[in-house]
Amino acid sequence: MILYNTTYSVANEVEQDWLHWMKTSHIPSMLATGLPAGHKVLRLLTEIDNGGATYSVQLDFNAMEDYFTYQSLHADTMQQQIQDRFANQFVSFDTLLEDA
């Protein structure tokens, strides 16, 4: 199992709007590609006061090939969607993990 994690720090002012949009629009769009096998949205509980809330959005892929296909065909569009909606209101970074 391949886990593609994006960690987001979201401004407090838009946190609830961001979370609702992620759950009702953005994540369903990512899943609709048919490539992720599952997902999780987690809120970081042990964070420093940075003026925002931190979330981990995780997509599970059954194989590295599925992840590569997602990246080559869909990732840019998905990243642009969140940028268009919440520009300058979040920062993020990605990590890629696998079951040990």
Side-chain angles (χ1 to χ4, degrees):
M1 180 71 63
I2 303 300
L3 187 131
Y4 174 50
N5 177 78
T6 303
T7 301
Y8 294 93
S9 179
V10 182
N12 287 330
E13 301 80 32
V14 298
E15 177 187 2
Q16 292 308 308
D17 183 34
W18 179 89
L19 185 59
H20 177 76
W21 180 78
M22 287 296 283
K23 289 181 173 183
T24 61
S25 180
H26 194 64
I27 292 171
S29 293
M30 291 188 288
L31 297 175
T33 67
L35 293 163
H39 78 286
K40 284 186 181 177
V41 178
L42 305 164
R43 187 175 193 281
L44 188 66
L45 296 177
T46 55
E47 60 182 295
I48 58 171
D49 183 14
N50 63 1
T54 304
Y55 288 87
S56 170
V57 177
Q58 302 175 352
L59 296 178
D60 299 319
F61 293 90
N62 289 322
M64 189 65 81
E65 293 79 18
D66 294 337
Y67 165 77
F68 286 138
T69 300
Y70 177 84
Q71 286 298 311
S72 66
L73 298 178
H74 304 289
D76 288 344
T77 300
M78 297 300 163
Q79 290 170 355
Q80 191 60 51
Q81 286 177 358
I82 194 166
Q83 190 63 37
D84 290 346
R85 173 105 183 197
F86 295 100
N88 302 317
Q89 298 174 315
F90 75 96
V91 293
S92 67
F93 66 90
D94 298 334
T95 50
L96 188 63
L97 305 102
E98 72 176 334
D99 284 337

